[in-house]
Amino acid sequence: MWHLLEPLHAVLYYSPEAFDEAAALGYDVSERWPSYFAWRAAALGPAGAERVASAFYSFSPATVARYVPAAWDVAAPADVLAARLRAVDRTYRTLLGDDVLASPELAEAAALARRAAEAAPLAGRALAAAHAELPWPEAPHLVLWQAATVLREQRGDGHLVALAAAGLDPVESLASFAAVGAAAEATFASRGWSAAEWAAARERLAARGLVHPDGAADAEAGTATDAGRALRADVERRTDELAAAPWAALGSEATDRLAELLGGPWLTVVGSGLLPSENTLGIGKV
């Protein structure tokens, strides 16, 4: 379900309509990060850099501090949230078309996704709880997007629990993920860690026997060992377990129906070319 819902959420961070709305608020859209941090963190209110870095986890605190709290000097969180819904509305209308948005199938998908989102446990899930507190929009396609957002942030919050339980700090979580082939190391550069910080993380992982060290015989430096692959597999298993409650509450039949209904929109969004072919979430590889 995450694989189906994540693109429907994440297209916000790449669509021309979203950049247009961000520019109207006053954000620099020559790069995607000013609007990304504003769109994703606005539900937390005027949060500072430490709170956002904690919630986002994998970003370098220095990178977060470049954009937060400066984002709230450009536009108040409430204005960002209103513009975010306008951006989603315009993006979905462009990609899916008015006929799909007005269809009974889309309305059914939205209702099912909302049921799942409203069943998601929120204790210890800061980003999910912040989004769950937002009022539900009326239009079904906006309900679908908001439900996808609550569910992906609830899963993501649980993923951070799994990473912490595995003893992986923010930069180690990325280096260990790259080591199992989730994405090329260059893909993770967007998170802002310096070469020295990345190398130090790999050294810590090597000391734990999780990646092959520099100079290792018959193994590329930084690639995962069997122990490293096992640890990452355990992180993914724990993440799935912590994200299972909404789908257990919805039930297998309704979940299967939602998956069926999401197929068309998912294909359209993925086929739009807006989303990067390789990503830091490991979609398509884990």
Side-chain angles (χ1 to χ4, degrees):
M1 297 308 297
W2 170 62
H3 279 264
L4 285 170
L5 287 166
E6 177 63 22
L8 302 184
H9 161 85
V11 71
L12 166 73
Y13 306 127
Y14 299 95
S15 77
E17 294 81 4
F19 283 117
D20 184 52
E21 291 289 345
L25 288 174
Y27 290 102
D28 176 10
V29 294
S30 62
E31 58 171 336
R32 77 182 184 96
W33 297 116
S35 58
Y36 171 86
F37 281 98
W39 294 141
R40 191 168 174 223
L44 295 170
E50 286 193 23
R51 185 143 55 105
V52 173
S54 173
F56 286 19
Y57 200 76
S58 65
F59 281 88
S60 159
T63 296
V64 177
R66 282 200 289 273
Y67 303 104
V68 177
W72 319 131
D73 295 331
V74 177
D79 294 331
V80 174
L81 291 172
R84 188 172 74 169
L85 282 180
R86 292 196 299 272
V88 173
D89 177 64
R90 292 177 58 192
T91 299
Y92 275 23
R93 288 187 186 282
T94 297
L95 293 176
L96 302 178
D98 290 342
D99 289 345
V100 170
L101 299 191
S103 69
E105 291 80 10
L106 195 285
E108 183 183 359
L112 290 171
R114 178 173 175 173
R115 279 174 53 193
E118 290 179 332
L122 300 175
R125 266 64 166 216
L127 269 175
H131 283 90
E133 279 191 331
L134 298 176
W136 286 96
E138 292 186 8
H141 62 289
L142 298 181
V143 170
L144 176 61
W145 183 85
Q146 188 154 311
T149 301
V150 171
L151 289 163
R152 70 94 66 172
E153 297 295 11
Q154 197 265 355
R155 184 183 190 278
D157 289 340
H159 185 57
L160 306 190
V161 172
L163 289 169
L168 297 171
D169 68 24
V171 63
E172 290 169 358
S173 73
L174 298 180
S176 64
F177 208 31
V180 299
E185 285 193 6
T187 302
F188 295 99
S190 64
R191 269 37 187 171
W193 300 98
S194 69
E197 289 169 324
W198 188 272
R202 290 207 321 189
E203 288 179 6
R204 294 193 298 273
L205 294 172
R208 293 174 60 186
L210 301 176
V211 302
H212 293 288
D214 292 340
D218 302 322
E220 183 180 349
T223 58
T225 62
D226 289 345
R229 292 185 180 280
L231 184 68
R232 285 302 315 199
D234 189 58
V235 166
E236 295 303 321
R237 178 186 59 79
R238 288 175 179 267
T239 299
D240 285 343
E241 289 173 351
L242 291 169
W247 309 110
L250 188 61
S252 59
E253 183 176 343
T255 299
D256 288 347
R257 175 59 176 163
L258 177 57
E260 178 186 355
L261 292 166
L262 292 176
W266 180 86
L267 282 172
T268 299
V269 171
V270 171
S272 70
L274 292 174
L275 301 176
S277 58
E278 188 169 62
N279 55 80
T280 58
L281 299 178
I283 291 178
K285 293 193 176 183
V286 298

